[in-house]
Structures are given as structure tokens and as C-alpha cells.
Amino acid sequence: PSPSLFAAEAMRAAGLLLAWALLRPAATQQCHPAGPGGVLRFTDRHAEIRVPALHRVPSSLDPLYGLVRRCLDLIQQNPLPTELLRAALNDPSSVRTSQVVQYELGYVVCAAVALLFTVTVPVAGMCFCYCRGRRRCGGRLRAHRRSLGCRRHCLLACLSLTSLVILTSVVCAFVTSQRVKAQMEPGLGAVPATLRTLRQHITNIPQVAPLSWQGVQMVVDQFEVPRQQIISDLGGLSWSVGLSIHTQLKAMTYAALAELQDRAGDLRTSLHHLQILDQTARALASARAELEPALRERRGRVVALLDDPRCTSCASVLGRAQGLELGANYSKVPSVEKVLKALAGLPRSDFAEMIRQGNGTFNSIPELAVERMAQVIQDLRDEMARTAEKVQSIANSFPLPDYTRPVSEALVKAEDRSQPYLREVERFERYRWIAGTVLCSIILLILACNVMGMALGAYGLSKREDPSDYECRGEAGAKFLLVGVGLAFLFSWLLILLVLATFLVGGNIQTLVCRNWVNQEIYKFIDTPGNLPPSMNLTRQLNLRRDSNLSATYRECKSGAGLWEVLQLDRSYDLDEHLKPPKYTADFQKRLGDFTAHLGDVRLLRSEGRQDLETFAHSGVDEVDYGRFQEEMKNPVVQTSLPGLARSLEGLQKMQRNSTVAGRLAAEAQALWQMQNSTVQSQEALVAKLGESVQFLSHLAPHLKERVKTTLANTASVEARLPVHAQQILRQEIGCFTRKELRFFTQYLNWVGQTLREDVASCQPLATALDNGRVILCDRIADPWNAFWFSLGCCTFFLIPSIIFAVRLTKHFRPIRNRLM
């Protein structure tokens, strides 16, 4: 047998074994790992209605704000008056004035100082006017002394320094006043806006309107994400199943088809070689019969010629001429007519078409899967629509409205009740800003008088040669100083009253509200039972659980806890029970589990093809004795080589002295060449052709029955196993698909649970709103407000030394009296 034939058979057997090994574990193969597309992305649109957090903005005035707060801490050192507040809230008539005065003692002292200033400074101004009218104040120096220059420079420096302090203070007052005005309007507007946003947040949590994208409905509507993903996967399921069946079974199927094609090729080729064998053997036997008499005659003539005494040196060739006989006799080889008769009419079936149809049927499995699974795919799409209705029940049964409605109503009341107070605050702030701007402008006017007075007075002194000489610019400087003094006396009481009013309001807001808000003493006061009247019971109005309080709720909300946790809704609503996946996936899973389809019915070999191969195997091809052919082919057509003998005769011709003998030798040599070229060579070509057929058939025949039997068995086995393995792969692919889609359901339901507990029903906006209120009231309004009265108060109190230095300085700008006398 040929080594190449054995190698080909070994490769085909290995292919079948590989196909079988690949198919054996088909039912237990692992699913494809989930890629990045297996993680769903949900849109959190609820963030659009969250309360934006406000923060303290660093400012260049922060050192001033800190100084004012420290001053207020010195003025009001008492802690939060819990007893006084409890009495004021529950029974206002029981509050005694002495209690209020005792708590506000620092403010009372400051108010007393302010009132004393209000009375004293105007009275001092009137006295100054009286004295000035009698020429006793602000007049001239009586005598020139050497120390006048030093005193004058000292007074100029003190008044300049005082004016600089007043200027710095009035600039701070201007800036803080504008900052209060800039922050007051948005701050007041933020109160109803924050309450409104909170109400919208609370109201939209259980919102179930079909077009709403807020609250629980927003979460339910996000089921569209897994639904669209599952519908998209359903669109490719049938093709994927068919392609997987085709991919996993193609090795075995193609191997069986290749083996079947090899057997069909063996049948055609064997029939061809048998026909060649029969025809060639007959032709060789006929040619031998025709060659025998001619060869016998030629041998007799050559022997007679060589035996002629006239032939010189011919005895050496005589023996070869006598051996000139026929060799191989193909009439003795076995006949293959019986085999050809058995194979007559084969192949009756078109194996090429049969294999093409089987290959086409197998390759059409993906299209067949799409056709067979079309109805179940549509049923699953309809099932997804019904599942969406089930998911909607989450929003319909969510219990938050019962808890959020009281909170929403409380926020509506707070919003309505705050409007009148906010309008009053806005009106008071407008008046404050106008009064502050006017009075700060007056202070600037006083500073301008001081600056002009000092500048003109100093210039006049530099131009005056004699201290007793009259100088108009020095006189003008003195009058400017006196005008500033008059304005200071005239408006100081208005300044101190504005400072007092803003001080009492801003100081109490800082020490009573802001300071206790930062250290959460207010929350502790609210949490203490009995401190608030029943109408202000926040635990009941906010629907907090009985064992909770505002401080704990604030901390929980600030840390990101949801209303679910704060209100402990799990006691009345089992969210986990509503989010169990089987509740929504059972029907979907059942439809996929019940589906079955026959996708592996492929006919590789029809009955007529099988009969052809069986006839071929039992035709007797393997019973022919091809060894007889091979033995006969070892013999030459003629025992003695005709070309060798002809060349020997040609050599003898040259040695002959007798021309007649030489001529006869040449003629005999020529006749031998002609016989070789015309007859023997054609028989040798037939022998070579016969040898090819004998070699093929001798290699094929011993294994023919076994190969055909194996091919028929393998083909039948593949035809039987294809539907079984196709069904296994179908179940496997559907199982993998089911697990993949169930993961989408689980992702969504887990996200729903997390979102409802932590995000959609988050109470963080409540904590943020409280923090924003503190930032607006304390950081953005109270700090610049208190800095305003502090700066304005500095201006007001520094007017006293300014008055004194200005009055003293006017005498130095006028001529000395005794030099004029």
C-alpha cells in the first residue's frame, strides 16, 4: 500500500475523532462571558430637582467678619436660653422682662451707651454752637509760643490719623452695605425657592403620571433600558442559535461529507481502472497473438543468416538470436468481467448533487433557525410588554404619598407664612440701605471738610510770614474744619441710632441663631420634648418615627440616607418582595424553556447512494488476484531485447568482407528496429497503462469493504447524531440566553431597590436646605450686616476725636490775637 494513501486515511480518521471529541461535551459547554455590553446604564434624571448646595465664599473681608463675631461673643456670653425660649413659645405671657434683660445684658449695656451717645453728642454740639456764638470756642490763640508749631503738627497728625480710620471704616461700611443689599434679595428669594424645591422634591418622589420623569415613576420608566436591550438580543437570538449549531457541528458534518465524497471518488476511479484493466489485458493478448508468427519467422531468418559460414564472427550473436521468443502472456491473467458486470450501470445516483444538497441543507441551519423561532421571538416580545405592566405596579403600590403628603403640606404652609415676613424684611433692608448710604455719604462729606481744612490751613500757614497776619486760605481751612464739626454734631445721633438698630438685629441673629445653629444647639432644643408647642411638633409634622429626632434625622439625611431608611418604610412595605426577579421573569423563562425545534435533520446519503456503495463493496473488486497481473508484468514483451540484437547485427555488418552477407545483416537489423518501433513499443505502453490501474486497484481492494462499511456507518451515525446534538446546542444556547437576559432583569431590579432606598427617596435635600439656610442667613447676610454696623459704629465713635482735633486745629490756622493788638 502507498504511504500517501495511508496518511490520507489517517487524517480522515483523525478528523472524525476530533469532530466527535468536540461534539461530546456540547451540552456542557460554558456560555460566552459577558462583555461590557452586559452592564446596563441607567439615567438618573432625579438629580435635576435636587437642592443645590450653597457654600461660604471666601472673601477679603473675612478677617473683619471674624473680628465682629469675636466682639459679639464678648458682648453675649450666655448660651442658648432654653428655659426662656420654652416659656416664650409655649406661654408668652409668662415671660418676664427681667429674664430678657438678664439674657440680653450685654446688648442692654451697648444700647445704653448708644443712647447716652445719642443724647450727649447733640447736647455737646449745641453747647459748642453757643460758645462759638460768644466767640469762646474755635477762636484765636491769645499769644505766640515756641511750642505752637509742635502742637500744630501733633494736631494735624492726630486729625489725619483719625480721618484715615474714619475713611477706612466708611469704605468698609459702604462695601458691606452693598454686599448686604446684593445678598439680601437673592437670599430672601432663596427661602421660598428652597421651600418650593423641597416641596417639588417631596411631591415628585411618588409621582406616577405617565409622562413624568421624576421620582418613583422615573425609576419605573427606566425599565425601558433592559426591555430595549432584551428586545435587541431577541432580534439576534435565532440567528445566533443557528450559527452556533452550524459552528459546533460543521467539523463532524464536513468530515462525513468529505469521507462520502472520497468513497464516491473511489467508486468512479475503480470503475475506470477496471475498464482499463480489462481492455488493456485483451489488447495485449491480441497483440501477442499477432506478434508471435512474425517473431518466429524473424528468428528463423536471423539464425539462418548467423549460421552461414560466410558470416564472419557471427557465432557470438547466434545464441541471442536463438533466444528471440515472446515473453509475457496476458491471456493467463484473471478476468475482471464478473466485477464489471456487477458494477454495470454504477453509479446510479449523482453523488456530487447528493453531497451538494446535504452541504446546502446543513449550511442553511441558521436561516432555518430564524424561520422556526420567529413565533417564539414574537411571543417573547409580547411578554416583555406584559412585564412592563407588572413593573408599573411598583410605582402604583409605593407607599411614600402617605408619608410625604404631611411634609409637603407643612412646606406649603411655611412658604405661605414666610411671604409677609420676607416682604417686611425686604422693605426694612431697603430703608436701611438708603439711610446707610446717605449717612456714609455725610461721613465722606465730613472727611472731605477735614481734608480740605487741613490742606488749606497748612498751605495758609506756609504762606503767612507773621503769625498775627490775616491769611484767607488759612481762614478758609479753619471754616472747613468747623463745617465738618457742625456736620458731625448734626448727624451723629442719626448715625448712632442706625448703628444701634442694625446692631441689635444683627447681633442677636449671630449670637442667638447662627452660633447655636453651627454648634447644633438649636437642633437639641427642638429635639427636647416639651420645648415646642404641639402646633410646632416637627416630629409629627415631618412624619418622623417616634424614636427619632431632628438631630438624628438631619445627620442621617446629611450622610445621604433616604426617606426609606429615615421613615423605616420597610416596616409597612416589603420592597424586596416586590423586587423578586421570578415575579417578572417566570413567564419569560417558561416560554424559552418550553421551546423546541428540529434543526439538525440533514440527509447526507440517500438510499440509492447507499445501495451503490454497498454494491461497489460486494462487487468482488477485492477478490481479483492482482498479483498475477504484477507477476506477468515483470516479464518483457520479447525475451531478447530487439534493439540490442539489432545493434549487434549492425556491428557485424561492418566486420563482413562479403557484401551479400553484410547486406542481409543490415536488412535484418532494419527489420528488427521496425518490429520494435511498430509493435513492441505499443505493447510496452499498454503494459505501463495496465500497471497504473493494477497498482491503484491492488492498493484499494484490500481495504475497500472496511472503508465503505466505515463510511456508511459514519454517515448514518452523523445523520442520527445531528438532530440530537442540534437539540443539545439549542438548549444550551437558550439556557445561556435566558441567564444573560435574567441578569438584565436582576440589574434593573437591584438598581430600582438601591435608587428607591438611597436616591429617588433621598432626604439629603432636606439637610442641604437647612445648611443652605444657615449659609444664606449667617454667612451671606448676617456677616456683612454685622460688619456694616461695626464699621459704621467705628466711624461714629471716631467722630468724637475728630471733632476735638478739628476744633483745636482751627485756632492754629487763624492769626494770633496779641500780635494784632
Side-chain angles (χ1 to χ4, degrees), residues 117 162 166 443 446-447 450 484 487-489 491-492 495 794-804:
F117 184 95
T162 304
I166 295 174
I443 293 175
I446 294 173
L447 290 176
N450 287 347
L487 291 174
F489 279 126
F491 292 100
S492 60
L495 286 168
C794 289
C795 295
T796 304
F797 282 100
F798 270 92
L799 285 178
I800 296 177
S802 174
I803 292 172
I804 296 172

Side-chain angles (χ1 to χ4, degrees), residues 432-497:
R432 181 211 63 81
W433 181 79
I434 294 174
T437 303
V438 171
L439 292 175
C440 287
S441 301
I442 292 174
I443 293 175
L444 288 177
L445 182 60
I446 294 173
L447 290 176
C449 291
N450 287 347
V451 172
M452 288 296 295
M454 287 188 290
L456 290 174
Y459 185 71
L461 287 176
S462 65
K463 296 296 181 179
R464 190 168 59 187
E465 297 179 357
D466 190 341
S468 61
D469 292 343
Y470 179 81
E471 212 286 318
C472 62
R473 281 163 295 197
E475 187 65 25
K479 289 181 178 180
F480 266 112
L481 290 176
L482 289 177
V483 169
V485 170
L487 291 174
F489 279 126
L490 185 61
F491 292 100
S492 60
W493 66 280
L494 292 175
L495 286 168
I496 198 63
L497 288 179

